[in-house]
Amino acid sequence: MAVTSWPDLLLACLFPLALLALGCGLFQSTTLSDVHDLVSLKSLAKKTGLFSLESALKSYASYPSLARNELARMRKSYSTLSRAHKRVGYNLGYPRKLDKLQSATDVNSIVTNAIADLAKAEFDLENSTSGSDANIGRVRESLKHFVRDWSEECREERDRMFKPILDVFRKIDVEERSGHKVLVPGCGLGRLAWEISELGFDTTANELSYFMILAFRFLLSSTTTTSSNEHTIRPYAHWFSHQRTVDSVFRSIPFPDVVPRLSSRFNLVERDFLTLSAPPTPPLHGYHNITTLFFIDTSLNIIETIEHIYTLLRPGGTWINLGPLLWSAGAQAKVELSLGEVIDVAEAVGFIFDHEGMDGTRGSRTVDCEYTADSKAMMQWIYKAEFWVAKKPK
């Protein structure tokens, strides 16, 4: 006998009512998938896990206190110096440096508090974060993603990654673009997906992590973001390593360089990529293109991910990939493959690699690129990312 949870019972009761509202035209642009999210309040299925809604909300809301606690530990460590070494530190201005860290935290907190407040309003989760663990590291990653995706500071980094991908889309006739459905899974803060939509394609950005989703919603909402470079953060203030000057550590970076908005050709789907279905696009079902940027190596099962990409594509559809193979799931990953093995799997699934313009073998070429890099730091991490275009046979 199957066991039904109370959220399932609630969903069973509310779903017919939502369908009735949909049928009566109360939600003009709502799909059945949206109705499911609406009646489940999204949070019913997302209350646990590292990337859950509640974990992300608590982390953003707790950022000021977590950062203050960390600073208090730094001050305590400094206080253990000998009197002579404290004098050296004082002459260097180290106590003032720690004061600047507090000021930087205050600046960043304006954004993190606004993200948390918006999430509470949109998801009605004012008092539902008590059971989640806060993760300041994930919040700091998100702040750096604001810079990477939506600031002038990282335009060069973005251009280096985006150009090979966007060049593929630019080859498609302008007249045909509005009818092409594109999916960008693992979209993060959505800049690549937005850029594709700006070329005229019907683009769906897809993201699982609510650390990314809440930050992206902060940009998309007219309540919190109304103009370019409206916000300011100091994303590198917490990281004293590899810094040439104190000024570079605490520099302010404005964002966004442009203001994104959801539209008829740009939408956001907030769920696990593996749960997505192929869109109905008569006479054939499926996406015309799926673009993965720094995504496939986040898979717990890369074989399943590649199979699902293939399933979601329509016959003749194209998979564009750019990224490394930094398997990030640790022991949870069912397989961790080499580049050659990944291509073997893709070909076994049915993909045909496009060798045109490739300088490597078997349909891929290497693109040197960075990811959320601090351009003024003494350390630069360069990925030898692989770029390929593969097709599903017609």
Side-chain angles (χ1 to χ4, degrees), residues 244-283:
R244 295 185 181 278
T245 66
V246 172
D247 288 342
S248 68
V249 176
F250 297 112
R251 71 187 188 277
S252 296
I253 298 177
F255 74 97
D257 58 330
V258 294
V259 179
R261 289 288 184 263
L262 298 180
S263 67
S264 60
R265 66 170 185 255
F266 182 49
N267 62 92
L268 175 64
V269 175
E270 301 165 348
R271 66 178 63 137
D272 187 343
F273 163 71
L274 294 174
T275 69
L276 298 182
S277 300
T281 53

Side-chain angles (χ1 to χ4, degrees), residues 183-196:
L183 175 66
V184 184
C187 69
L189 295 194
R191 183 59 181 260
L192 176 61
W194 181 82
E195 293 284 358
I196 295 171

Side-chain angles (χ1 to χ4, degrees), residues 15 28 58 67 89 177 197 255 287 290 312 315 320 343 394:
F15 195 68
Q28 296 297 321
K58 184 170 185 180
R177 294 179 184 180
S197 74
F255 74 97
Y287 290 97
I290 295 177
L312 293 181
I320 302 173
I343 294 177
K394 292 184 179 180

Side-chain angles (χ1 to χ4, degrees), residues 40-177:
S40 64
L41 300 179
K42 293 187 183 285
S43 61
L44 293 180
K46 301 180 177 74
K47 285 191 174 184
T48 60
L50 180 62
F51 303 111
S52 69
L53 173 56
E54 288 203 344
S55 177
L57 174 54
K58 184 170 185 180
S59 296
Y60 282 113
S62 302
Y63 169 80
S65 60
L66 293 175
R68 282 196 300 271
N69 292 341
E70 188 175 81
L71 177 57
R73 293 193 295 270
M74 295 172 71
R75 292 188 190 277
K76 184 176 181 179
S77 294
Y78 178 76
S79 71
T80 63
L81 287 174
S82 66
R83 180 175 297 179
H85 288 174
K86 282 183 182 176
R87 187 179 303 115
V88 174
Y90 181 83
N91 291 337
L92 288 173
Y94 200 81
R96 293 193 299 276
K97 184 175 180 178
L98 296 180
D99 291 340
K100 287 183 177 181
L101 178 55
Q102 178 59 62
S103 297
T105 296
D106 293 341
V107 170
N108 293 341
S109 295
I110 295 173
V111 171
T112 59
N113 287 339
I115 292 172
D117 289 343
L118 180 66
K120 291 173 185 177
E122 292 186 333
F123 291 95
D124 192 23
L125 289 172
E126 184 69 39
N127 299 312
S128 57
T129 61
S130 58
S132 303
D133 293 326
N135 188 325
I136 193 172
R138 294 288 179 185
V139 174
R140 286 168 171 165
E141 283 183 16
S142 299
L143 295 180
K144 290 194 291 185
H145 273 78
F146 279 131
V147 179
R148 180 234 180 210
D149 271 20
W150 297 101
S151 78
E152 187 64 31
E153 172 99 359
C154 278
R155 175 181 291 275
E156 184 177 340
E157 178 182 312
R158 285 196 306 274
D159 288 348
R160 191 176 298 117
M161 282 190 288
F162 290 4
K163 186 179 185 303
I165 296 170
L166 296 179
D167 282 349
V168 176
F169 286 103
R170 290 188 180 106
K171 293 178 181 178
I172 299 173
D173 191 279
V174 174
E175 301 290 330
E176 301 177 2
R177 294 179 184 180

